[in-house]
Every structure is written in structure tokens, then in C-alpha cells.
Amino acid sequence: MADAELLAPVHAFLGTTTPRAWCEAAAGDLSTLLNDHANCEKKAASTALALMFRYDRDGALADAMSRIAREELRHFEQVAALMRRLEIAHCPVSASRYAQGLRALVRSAEPDRLLDLLVCGAFVEARSCERFHALRPFLPEPIATFYGRLLASEARHFEAYLRLAEERFSAEAVADRCAHFRKEEARLIEGEDPELRFHSGLPAFA
């Protein structure tokens, strides 16, 4: 499938695109970018596993989360291998403002919590897909090619989260929560961030 076809539903879902200034700043700090990318893959796997355990009576959800967790862990291994190849040392990085901002929107009572977790997952995966594509022209090899290979799986994860929400909740409820998350997600992407992260906003750090 061509990149344009993969990205069309992603762009339609998101409320804004990655600013060029962020891409330029990220390309100028590959150590932070790849270290945080590795963290994101681990967190994505952890999120999928947490959903499997919390909603273990939902067989279809568990199957989907199992597949996503396996792919995210494989991506982590690939990022770690790329870092070793490029002689980029592992270093700790703090959580992003983006992740904290989206998580703050998740309601605590069920079944609202499940809906919000699925919608949140859809936005994180859609943004990751969009960002891999946006970054490619700014990155050296072999990182650019690697990010191109990640597009299809991230788009698939986005669609899986959204489909799980649509199968379990009314169209109106899903649309309402997507609109709510979309507004905040765009604000986080377009706002300034003091530190570079894979999902950070405009570079106040540049």
C-alpha cells in the first residue's frame, strides 16, 4: 500500500500536522529522539498488556492487544539495535508533556474509562505514524528507511484501537470522545515544549 493511502485516514483523524520546526529540531538531536522513541515502544507494549489484564474477559480485545504488544516490543528491539549500530548510548529521558496531557483526559469510571483508553491509544498511534512520515525527509540513513518501514504497522495499530472503540460503543459516544481528545492532542502538538520528545510540541528547546 502506498504511503499516501496509508496516511489518508491518519491525517483525517488528527487535528493538526507536525510542524517543520519540530522535525528540524528532532533531526538535530538524534540521541534524544531515538532514546525517547525506544521508550515510546516499551510504553506502547505496556499499555497493550495493561488492557489485556484489565479487560481479560473481552477475548477480541485481548487478541488485538496481544498482537500490538508483540509488534511494539519488536519495534523496541529494532530501535535498540539501530542505536547500537549508530553508537548512540542509552540515556534516561523523562515522560513527555504529550503523554501526560492525553492521560489526564481519561475518565476513571467504567465503561467510560475503556472508551477513553481506546481513543487515547488511537491518537498516540496515529500521531506516531504521522510523525514517522513527517520526519523521513529530515533524517539520515539508515534511520529514514527504518521509519518508513514503521508506517504500516503504526497505521494498523491506530485502526485497531479505533475499531475496538467503535465495536464497543455507540458512534455518537466515539465521535464525542474523539473530538474531545483531538482538540487537546492538537494543542499539545502545536504548543511549546521545553524538551524534545518523540511526541513533543513546538521547539522551545531549539
Side-chain angles (χ1 to χ4, degrees):
M1 185 182 295
D3 286 357
E5 189 177 353
L6 272 174
L7 289 159
V10 169
H11 285 144
F13 184 71
L14 296 171
T16 189
T17 56
T18 292
R20 180 186 179 91
W22 181 88
C23 294
E24 292 172 345
D29 189 355
L30 295 179
S31 175
T32 300
L33 177 70
L34 289 175
N35 269 283
D36 193 52
H37 179 184
N39 277 351
C40 287
E41 300 293 0
K42 288 189 288 185
K43 291 173 185 174
S46 177
T47 295
L49 289 170
L51 284 166
M52 283 181 66
F53 279 102
R54 185 178 182 94
Y55 304 100
D56 58 344
R57 294 185 180 182
D58 188 331
L61 186 147
D63 287 347
M65 291 301 109
S66 177
R67 288 190 293 271
I68 288 175
R70 289 197 303 271
E71 289 192 8
E72 301 291 12
L73 287 173
R74 179 58 182 149
H75 293 167
F76 164 72
E77 293 169 357
Q78 291 170 339
V79 177
L82 182 61
M83 290 172 64
R84 289 192 293 271
R85 177 179 173 185
L86 298 173
E87 299 183 340
I88 293 175
H90 168 78
C91 61
V93 290
S94 58
S96 69
R97 166 177 160 268
Y98 178 91
Q100 294 169 343
L102 290 188
R103 278 285 177 169
L105 301 180
V106 176
R107 295 169 290 182
S108 58
E110 298 290 0
D112 295 337
R113 180 176 177 81
L114 175 58
L115 172 57
D116 286 355
L117 287 171
L118 293 173
V119 169
C120 183
F123 273 99
V124 172
E125 298 292 347
R127 179 58 62 189
S128 297
C129 182
E130 187 268 348
R131 204 144 261 201
F132 287 137
H133 177 73
L135 271 170
R136 286 170 67 192
F138 298 86
L139 295 175
E141 294 295 348
I143 308 174
T145 295
F146 173 56
Y147 276 18
R149 291 201 304 266
L150 293 178
L151 286 175
S153 60
E154 296 304 306
R156 190 166 59 250
H157 296 172
F158 147 64
E159 291 169 350
Y161 274 106
L162 187 59
R163 182 177 64 255
L164 287 165
E166 291 171 341
E167 289 172 350
R168 284 154 182 78
F169 299 93
S170 70
E172 182 180 4
V174 174
D176 177 71
R177 294 311 287 171
C178 284
H180 189 65
F181 273 81
R182 185 174 294 111
K183 182 178 179 179
E184 177 64 7
E185 202 268 352
R187 186 188 71 80
L188 291 165
I189 292 298
E190 294 174 344
E192 289 190 346
D193 261 309
E195 296 177 306
L196 174 70
R197 295 292 182 268
F198 188 80
H199 293 101
S200 55
L202 285 169
F205 46 82

